[in-house]
């Protein structure tokens, strides 16, 4: 679309991510049309937006008249043609099923203006494959937000094989206009940057639980207080959605066995419909309400050393660097902004000691005979150069 400005944004899907993306786009002044397949989903999404904006008014971030203006910039529809026909940017946040996404993109390719950029908010699905369902591969890109989009500062930008540099610039400019920080994920790899670290962490913690190393609360507290994450890892999985974690796992694992060591506990929860906060039960149980937290204590944290979790996170972070997906600074920054880490993961690892992390990985590799634990070459070089 050259230098033409984005004015109208269509958001397809009004779930946890879709409603948040619609909200922050409207907060940045865009006219937004949010589309879903049933009116009841749109009603629920508008209720969530009202709650979130209400919180911001409460905290003095916006005034109540601004809240009204923001709400006024969002319209909703179940009609996909109406949603995209005047759009400059379409952001897809529908369920993580490739067939559904491709069908949707192929359909809107014929309905949206030719200049419009198409973006997918997929957690893990290949951008190039989705782009291939359209005739606008050059105007197709991954724009990956983090939950909750209203509060998380990171947005990953993932070009596909045919994405043009002007589309990358448009995506970067759009993200900056939301007052968020875009980080370029140079390759369309399974899990991009953050999910390549987050999803395997959920499974690793689940293995620790299954193997009886500590209780769920102890693992969560150790993860939160000793590594500096804002939530426990099970709490975060529930918050993100066990369905999302499960689907992301399957997709990533099918593309690359080296990316995650799936623990059956996650699949078991998924099979029972225990999707986390949204269904009232996941690893934990929840009451009613739009937002719930698990109270964890420092005493619990003292009973669990999260070295195995850190080792796995650092190993996957190193893989991203050695495969030129992102540089060390971008990986550090992505985790700080996308997962709310207090400090960079390499800074934490430096204190714990890289040699100890490599020893932990080697022991896991030998014990499990699983190549997932094989220490990455970049990490091994780091240990060599610092000894
Ligand atoms: N809009 C507005 N306000 C919100 C909100 C929202 N969507 N969600 C929560 N809040 C409010 C809370 O209600 C609370 O308000 P209060 O002070 O009136 O009670 C306030 O924000 C602060 O919340 P908390 O007290 O729970 O404090 P935190 O400091 O922990 O902040 C958090 C909350 C930002 C969610 C933080 O816990 C966090 O960063 N968690 C990690 C999230 C994360 O890792 N996300 C990425 C997951 S991976 C992903 O999304 C990728 C996908 O592809 C899978």
């Amino acid at each position: 679309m050259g230098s033409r400005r984005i004015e109208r944004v269509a958001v397809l899907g009004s779930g946890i991510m879709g409603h948040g993306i619609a909200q922050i786009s409207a907060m940045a002044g865009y006219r937004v049309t949010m589309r879903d397949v049933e009116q009841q989903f749109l009603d629920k999404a508008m209720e969530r937006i009202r709650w979130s904006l209400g919180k911001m008014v409460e905290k003095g971030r916006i005034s109540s008249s601004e809240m009204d203006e923001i709400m006024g910039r969002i319209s909703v529809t179940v009609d996909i043609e109406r949603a995209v026909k005047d759009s400059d940017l379409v952001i897809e946040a529908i369920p993580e099923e490739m067939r559904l996404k491709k069908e949707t993109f192929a359909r809107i390719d014929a309905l949206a203006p030719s200049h419009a950029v198409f973006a997918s908010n997929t957690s893990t699905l290949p951008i190039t494959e989705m782009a291939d369902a359209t005739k606008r591969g050059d105007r197709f890109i991954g724009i990956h937000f983090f939950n909750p989009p209203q509060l998380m500062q990171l947005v990953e930008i993932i070009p596909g094989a045919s994405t043009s540099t002007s589309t990358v610039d448009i995506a970067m400019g759009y993200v900056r206009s939301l007052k968020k920080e875009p980080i370029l994920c140079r390759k369309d790899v399974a899990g991009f940057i953050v999910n390549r670290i987050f999803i395997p962490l959920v499974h690793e913690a689940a293995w620790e639980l299954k193997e009886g190393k500590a209780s769920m609360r102890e693992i969560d507290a150790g993860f939160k207080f000793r590594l500096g994450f804002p939530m426990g890892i099970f709490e975060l999985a529930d918050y993100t959605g066990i369905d999302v974690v499960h689907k992301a796992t399957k997709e990533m694992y099918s593309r690359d066995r080296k990316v995650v060591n799936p623990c059956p506990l996650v699949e078991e929860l998924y099979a029972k419909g225990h999707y986390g906060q949204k269904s009232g039960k996941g690893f934990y149980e929840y009451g009613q309400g739009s937002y719930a937290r698990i109270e964890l204590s420092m005493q619990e944290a003292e009973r669990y050393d999260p070295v195995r979790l850190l080792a796995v996170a650092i190993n996957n972070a190193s893989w991203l660097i050695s495969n030129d997906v992102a540089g060390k600074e971008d990986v550090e920054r992505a985790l700080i902004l996308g997962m709310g880490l207090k400090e960079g993961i390499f800074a934490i690892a430096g204190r714990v000691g890289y040699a100890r992390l490599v020893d932990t990985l080697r022991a896991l590799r030998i014990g499990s005979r699983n190549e997932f634990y094989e220490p990455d070459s970049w990490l091994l070089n780091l240990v060599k150069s610092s000894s």
Side-chain angles (χ1 to χ4, degrees), residues 287-335:
Q288 291 294 314
S290 38
Y291 184 67
R293 294 299 306 267
I294 305 296
E295 292 299 326
L296 300 162
S297 70
M298 294 292 276
Q299 286 79 359
E300 288 166 311
E302 277 158 23
R303 298 197 286 271
Y304 176 70
D305 179 354
V307 65
R308 174 171 171 180
L309 302 189
L310 182 62
V312 161
I314 282 293
N315 204 31
N316 273 14
S318 301
W319 184 93
L320 289 165
I321 299 166
S322 57
N323 287 277
D324 198 30
V325 177
K328 184 180 169 204
E329 285 70 30
D330 276 356
V331 173
E332 289 271 58
R333 196 129 185 85
L335 288 174

Side-chain angles (χ1 to χ4, degrees), residues 107-123:
R107 191 162 166 215
I108 63 168
D109 201 22
L111 301 172
S114 59
H115 73 268
V117 167
F118 286 0
S120 174
N121 177 58
T122 182
S123 303

Side-chain angles (χ1 to χ4, degrees), residues 63-320:
S63 66
S64 51
S65 65
E66 280 169 326
M67 171 168 167
D68 293 340
E69 286 166 24
I70 293 163
M71 295 291 294
R73 283 196 282 274
I74 306 174
S75 59
V76 298
T77 182
V78 291
D79 179 344
I80 197 161
E81 179 169 4
R82 210 183 119 206
V84 303
K85 73 175 176 4
D86 297 322
S87 58
D88 303 309
L89 172 66
V90 180
I91 304 179
E92 167 277 310
I94 66 175
E96 289 284 85
E97 281 157 35
M98 185 51 109
R99 194 181 48 80
L100 183 64
K101 296 207 192 239
K102 280 176 156 174
E103 274 170 19
T104 305
F105 278 121
R107 191 162 166 215
I108 63 168
D109 201 22
L111 301 172
S114 59
H115 73 268
V117 167
F118 286 0
S120 174
N121 177 58
T122 182
S123 303
T124 48
L125 292 168
I127 300 301
T128 304
E129 199 178 328
M130 276 182 263
D132 286 346
T134 73
K135 295 190 183 71
R136 59 180 92 201
D138 58 327
R139 278 153 291 137
F140 197 108
I141 195 158
I143 303 185
H144 182 220
F145 291 84
F146 289 80
N147 184 29
Q150 294 95 334
L151 303 183
M152 305 315 285
Q153 286 308 304
L154 174 70
V155 182
E156 291 174 342
I157 300 291
I158 312 106
S162 315
T163 309
S164 67
T165 49
S166 74
T167 299
V168 174
D169 292 344
I170 288 167
M172 290 273 185
Y174 160 72
V175 168
R176 288 196 186 101
S177 75
L178 306 178
K179 301 199 172 58
K180 307 270 176 204
E181 194 167 318
I183 289 188
L184 187 69
C185 176
R186 289 187 212 123
K187 292 185 184 165
D188 190 2
V189 295
F192 310 137
I193 300 174
V194 170
N195 279 340
R196 191 160 191 116
I197 294 162
F198 164 52
I199 301 289
L201 273 174
V202 176
H203 289 277
E204 224 42 47
W207 281 117
E208 292 274 70
L209 182 63
K210 193 170 163 57
E211 289 163 14
K213 301 283 167 42
S215 75
M216 190 161 73
R217 293 184 58 93
E218 286 164 351
I219 295 171
D220 256 6
F223 181 79
K224 176 172 171 170
F225 295 113
R226 295 172 75 157
L227 297 182
F229 283 85
M231 289 177 166
I233 187 68
F234 296 118
E235 181 186 15
L236 180 57
D238 280 354
Y239 178 65
T240 305
I242 299 298
D243 52 337
V244 174
V245 172
H246 173 68
K247 284 183 186 171
T249 306
K250 284 196 81 159
E251 169 58 26
M252 288 163 66
Y253 194 63
S254 71
R255 279 171 79 187
D256 182 354
R257 299 260 147 161
K258 182 82 179 71
V259 71
V260 57
N261 180 17
C263 175
L265 286 186
V266 174
E267 183 147 25
E268 280 161 32
L269 288 177
Y270 175 76
K272 288 184 191 144
H274 295 160
Y275 293 170
Q277 269 194 36
K278 66 176 102 167
S279 71
K281 186 167 167 33
F283 283 102
Y284 294 98
E285 288 203 28
Y286 301 89
Q288 291 294 314
S290 38
Y291 184 67
R293 294 299 306 267
I294 305 296
E295 292 299 326
L296 300 162
S297 70
M298 294 292 276
Q299 286 79 359
E300 288 166 311
E302 277 158 23
R303 298 197 286 271
Y304 176 70
D305 179 354
V307 65
R308 174 171 171 180
L309 302 189
L310 182 62
V312 161
I314 282 293
N315 204 31
N316 273 14
S318 301
W319 184 93
L320 289 165

